[in-house]
Amino acid sequence: MISFRAKALKCGLELRSEVTVNGAAAGAQVSTPTEVAALIVELDPKSQQIVLISCDVIWFPSGMAKSLRQAIAAMAGTSEAHVCLAASHTHGTPNPEREFQFPEWSIDLETHISDKVLEVEQTTLEQPRT
């Protein structure tokens, strides 16, 4: 039996008054990922869950991807090999990569993206299987 659970979370624009992000003045509204979506698939009750996370960012930096895969695998009770992170490759999103300094990278943005990914995973796990 195959079961599915899915959830999408809108992130939208946020007031980030405490920081300057990607060249925007402190207090400005800065663009953050507009959507994070999760899909959890179980091929049968005895198999490990397969988790697909999609986020509206240009990519997931390798350090962020590694920590998210570990956290998601632990949350879902599956292996890291069964966790897939997919970026929509939206060129207008803020810079999630600390190695690139233009536009300015922000730990607050990285934390925000990671928090939203983990939040959508948690709400997806709470959904009933269909």
Side-chain angles (χ1 to χ4, degrees), residues 1-5 40-45 47 129-130:
M1 179 176 135
I2 299 175
S3 69
F4 298 92
R5 288 180 276 177
I40 301 174
V41 179
E42 290 177 329
L43 299 177
D44 67 60
S47 72
R129 290 173 171 85
T130 59

Side-chain angles (χ1 to χ4, degrees), residues 28-80:
Q29 282 194 324
V30 294
S31 175
T32 56
T34 56
E35 186 173 74
V36 181
L39 173 65
I40 301 174
V41 179
E42 290 177 329
L43 299 177
D44 67 60
K46 297 175 189 163
S47 72
Q48 289 190 355
Q49 298 180 100
I50 299 168
V51 179
L52 171 62
I53 301 284
S54 174
C55 187
D56 188 16
V57 291
I58 195 165
W59 68 75
F60 286 100
S62 59
M64 182 194 297
K66 182 177 180 179
S67 66
L68 284 172
R69 276 194 195 95
Q70 290 171 342
I72 291 166
M75 291 168 70
T78 194
S79 71
E80 289 179 46

Side-chain angles (χ1 to χ4, degrees), residues 81-100:
H82 286 109
V83 176
C84 176
L85 299 173
S88 65
H89 203 74
T90 303
H91 288 271
T93 60
N95 174 21
E97 177 63 67
R98 74 178 62 220
E99 299 301 317
F100 299 155

